[in-house]
């Protein structure tokens, strides 16, 4: 089991993403299921959930809600994703442990994975989703999640929730 913290967009925003994607053909892509769509804040790996949960609660004390929006598609090597914008998102992610892996934080929602040696595979999707912009929503909760493998696929579960309301979680 690996742990990470995340923000989960509301159903209305997830509906917008699903509509924009339609029913994509698999081809070279392994599409993330809607139930797995999230915005990672910090990745922790294999750790004790209770200890990490308490650590995260302390880190998020005094953190307020933030307004977010999903936008155009982009890629990392082998990953197609939507960008996320919002004032205060980077600061929230740093509090939650982003950048502890030694790389800059890039807020995103993963849509699919594809072979790293075929970067052109995502070009049509980047073009198709270039103008995508979701409605703006207010994130009022961060979550600690676990990732387990079931039949070779990741399964994410919320372990603990943290209110983003300037109060102690």
């Amino acid at each position: 089991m690996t742990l990470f913290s995340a923000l989960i967009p509301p159903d209305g925003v997830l509906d917008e993403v699903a509509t924009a994607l339609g029913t994509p053909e698999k081809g070279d892509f392994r599409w993330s299921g809607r139930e797995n769509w999230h915005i990672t804040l910090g990745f922790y790996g294999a750790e004790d959930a209770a200890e990490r949960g308490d650590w995260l609660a302390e880190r998020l004390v005094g953190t307020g809600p933030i307004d977010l929006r999903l936008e155009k598609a982009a890629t990392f090597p082998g990953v197609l994703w939507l960008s996320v914008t919002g004032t205060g998102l980077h600061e929230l992610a740093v509090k939650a442990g982003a950048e502890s892996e030694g790389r800059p934080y890039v807020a995103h929602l993963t849509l699919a994975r594809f072979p790293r040696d075929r970067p052109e595979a995502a070009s049509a999707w980047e073009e198709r989703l270039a103008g995508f912009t979701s409605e703006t929503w207010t994130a009022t909760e961060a979550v600690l999640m676990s990732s387990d493998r079931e039949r070779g696929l990741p399964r994410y579960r919320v372990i603990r929730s943290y209110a983003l309301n300037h109060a102690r979680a």
Side-chain angles (χ1 to χ4, degrees), residues 53-65 95 140 142 160-169:
D54 291 345
W55 176 89
L56 189 58
E58 286 299 315
R59 298 284 297 195
L60 296 181
V61 167
T63 302
K95 281 183 175 185
T140 59
R160 188 167 165 185
S161 300
Y162 307 87
L164 301 178
N165 63 2
H166 299 289
R168 188 176 254 309

Side-chain angles (χ1 to χ4, degrees), residues 34-98:
R34 176 188 173 125
E35 68 279 3
N36 289 339
W37 289 344
H38 66 274
I39 302 154
T40 300
L41 297 172
F43 180 80
Y44 314 119
E47 293 188 2
D48 180 86
E51 287 179 19
R52 180 51 75 170
D54 291 345
W55 176 89
L56 189 58
E58 286 299 315
R59 298 284 297 195
L60 296 181
V61 167
T63 302
I66 56 174
D67 292 331
L68 302 170
R69 175 175 75 240
L70 299 175
E71 295 182 343
K72 66 182 187 229
T75 62
F76 297 132
V79 180
L80 173 68
W81 48 274
L82 290 174
S83 61
V84 186
T85 61
T87 302
L89 176 56
H90 185 265
E91 293 79 5
L92 173 63
V94 168
K95 281 183 175 185

Side-chain angles (χ1 to χ4, degrees), residues 1-6 8 35-36 38 42-49 52 143-150 153-160:
M1 172 175 73
T2 58
L3 300 175
F4 62 95
S5 56
I8 300 173
E35 68 279 3
N36 289 339
H38 66 274
F43 180 80
Y44 314 119
E47 293 188 2
D48 180 86
R52 180 51 75 170
V143 296
L144 178 63
M145 299 185 80
S146 67
S147 174
D148 296 300
R149 288 280 209 211
E150 288 186 7
L153 300 173
R155 176 171 176 174
Y156 302 142
R157 287 180 257 245
V158 173
I159 296 173
R160 188 167 165 185

Side-chain angles (χ1 to χ4, degrees), residues 112-163:
R113 298 189 183 282
F114 58 91
R116 286 176 174 247
D117 62 350
R118 300 224 27 248
E120 72 282 356
S123 298
W125 282 104
E126 282 184 279
E127 187 175 309
R128 177 176 174 173
L129 298 170
F132 178 80
T133 301
S134 75
E135 68 182 65
T136 299
W137 82 94
T138 302
T140 59
E141 176 181 80
V143 296
L144 178 63
M145 299 185 80
S146 67
S147 174
D148 296 300
R149 288 280 209 211
E150 288 186 7
R151 289 175 260 152
L153 300 173
R155 176 171 176 174
Y156 302 142
R157 287 180 257 245
V158 173
I159 296 173
R160 188 167 165 185
S161 300
Y162 307 87

